[in-house]
Amino acid sequence: MLREPAAFWELLILLNVVFKGSLRGGCRVLMLLFLLLPMSLMAEAEVTEANTSDIKVLASIKPLQLIAQAITQSVSDTDVLLPAGTTPHDYALKPSDLGRVYDADLVLWLGAPYETYLAKPVGIRAANDLAVMSYGETDADVHHEGHGHENDSDNEHGHLYGDPHVWFSPEEAWAIAQTVAELLVQKDVAHASQYRANLAAFSDQLKRTDERIKARFTGQNELRYIVYHDAYSHFENHYGLEHLAAVTKQPESKPGAKSLLRLRRTIVEQKVACLFIEPQADLDIVNILKEGNSMQVYQMDPMATDIEATAQGYIQFLEQAAEQLLQCR
């Protein structure tokens, strides 16, 4: 059996040269074609099957899925638990969700303080899990059973404590990717080389993208904007940005009348140019804030709803976030 489809076509070309000009030889080439084609297709199927795995990686939210997919690319597809348009702040598990959690070989999630709905099912399952965030009293770690990643920047900036949106930080994304690759290499030895190659490719893409974004934000630290939901501290800290105010700490909470009046004063006094909102934002509140001023309103989606889960998905997510913020120049 021909193991490589390319070798099959090379053989046909050779046979055609040998029998060129001969009607009988041409017929022989055609007969060989029909005899060997099914064998070639079978060989191709075997190669494809050998490069894939039935290992199941489940991420709780889309941004974590994007990071994991960069590592599982060409081996398996990472699944995501939360449906599009939902956030982990107030999600309730369905019975079908529980089945997916218990069936997964690796669950990638934020951790008990930030995804309480997953704490119990993850705690009683036998397979591995990777809790992205586990805050102690003075530090922030990306960890799995003793595998830690010390985040030095968080130790210098106390306002980042408790912000679960770690996927906005390229440094944290890299730490998560490394740990995912490490766990998958342990669980799926047959595809260890592919996981390591994917990790190396992700590292290269991430470094180049990070450098491009830093260059784009050079001299842009005076962007005057506010955010609807305080979700961008990791991105802002990494690229030297800072929002002037946040409408709410949690997207499900609504500011009171006093808070709205204070925000309106801030918009005028600080000459706020832009407000960045999310798909779940209360538009009535947005209209109150923009009434009587020239502030522009743009959308940002920290949940990466419209980003396709591919090996380049997380890179696209970072580039999109930068592009959206730069609208405020």
Side-chain angles (χ1 to χ4, degrees):
M1 180 181 293
L2 292 175
R3 291 293 177 183
E4 294 292 337
F8 164 71
W9 295 110
E10 291 171 2
L11 176 60
L12 286 182
I13 293 171
L14 178 62
L15 289 171
N16 188 54
V17 171
V18 172
F19 293 109
K20 186 175 182 181
S22 168
L23 179 61
R24 181 175 296 177
C27 291
R28 289 174 179 169
V29 170
L30 289 175
M31 289 178 66
L32 281 170
L33 170 63
F34 286 110
L35 287 172
L36 294 176
L37 183 58
M39 298 167 66
S40 174
L41 293 176
M42 288 174 62
E44 186 173 7
E46 287 180 3
V47 170
T48 301
E49 185 177 353
N51 288 335
T52 60
S53 172
D54 59 358
I55 194 165
K56 296 178 181 178
V57 179
L58 177 67
S60 62
I61 56 176
K62 182 71 170 291
L64 296 182
Q65 180 195 23
L66 297 181
I67 298 171
Q69 184 62 38
I71 308 305
T72 64
Q73 188 71 13
S74 301
V75 179
S76 64
D77 287 326
T78 301
D79 198 8
V80 63
L81 185 63
L82 265 65
T86 60
T87 69
H89 297 284
D90 61 348
Y91 190 71
L93 284 175
K94 303 179 181 68
S96 58
D97 294 332
L98 287 172
R100 295 166 67 196
V101 172
Y102 294 138
D103 194 40
D105 296 295
L106 173 62
V107 175
L108 179 61
W109 65 309
L110 294 176
Y114 307 97
E115 291 187 290
T116 54
Y117 65 94
L118 267 177
K120 186 174 181 178
V122 166
I124 64 177
R125 64 192 298 274
N128 288 337
D129 73 279
L130 171 57
V132 170
M133 296 185 67
S134 177
Y135 281 96
E137 292 182 359
T138 59
D139 62 7
D141 298 329
V142 172
H143 80 103
H144 171 79
E145 297 177 357
H147 300 284
H149 169 71
E150 185 77 15
N151 188 332
D152 294 328
S153 62
D154 279 4
N155 292 333
E156 298 173 2
H157 301 274
H159 69 283
L160 291 182
Y161 287 127
D163 181 358
H165 305 84
V166 292
W167 57 88
F168 269 111
S169 165
E171 293 173 345
E172 294 289 1
W174 170 238
I176 294 168
Q178 285 180 295
T179 311
V180 168
E182 176 186 341
L183 293 171
L184 290 176
V185 165
Q186 294 173 6
K187 291 186 67 65
D188 187 15
V189 178
H191 298 91
S193 60
Q194 184 64 58
Y195 294 131
R196 293 190 180 105
N198 288 346
L199 182 66
F202 182 67
S203 174
D204 181 59
Q205 291 177 343
L206 189 59
K207 287 177 182 177
R208 287 188 282 109
T209 301
D210 188 30
E211 290 171 359
R212 285 198 304 270
I213 294 176
K214 283 180 178 177
R216 296 192 68 186
F217 278 120
T218 300
Q220 303 295 331
N221 57 336
E222 293 300 321
L223 295 177
R224 311 194 69 78
Y225 65 95
I226 62 176
V227 296
Y228 189 88
H229 171 207
D230 190 7
Y232 311 100
S233 295
H234 291 280
F235 188 89
E236 292 170 322
N237 181 66
H238 186 79
Y239 292 111
L241 307 170
E242 187 174 4
H243 59 267
L244 297 171
V247 178
T248 178
K249 287 288 184 182
Q250 302 292 344
E252 295 79 17
S253 303
K254 294 185 179 182
K258 289 183 179 179
S259 295
L260 287 174
L261 286 173
R262 187 164 54 249
L263 282 166
R264 283 181 57 83
R265 282 198 299 269
T266 298
I267 291 168
V268 174
E269 293 171 1
Q270 298 291 331
K271 298 180 181 179
V272 173
C274 308
L275 164 62
F276 290 98
I277 67 172
E278 299 156 31
Q280 298 83 13
D282 188 323
L283 296 183
D284 290 334
I285 292 175
V286 173
N287 290 331
I288 291 171
L289 292 175
K290 64 178 289 192
E291 185 179 0
N293 57 61
S294 60
M295 182 179 67
Q296 298 297 308
V297 179
Y298 300 105
Q299 276 216 5
M300 286 188 72
D301 183 10
M303 300 306 294
T305 303
D306 296 329
I307 304 293
E308 188 178 354
T310 66
Q312 291 76 40
Y314 180 75
I315 301 301
Q316 294 170 6
F317 171 71
L318 278 184
E319 291 176 332
Q320 184 184 82
E323 188 68 36
Q324 290 169 333
L325 278 170
L326 286 167
Q327 293 177 102
C328 199
R329 284 180 294 189

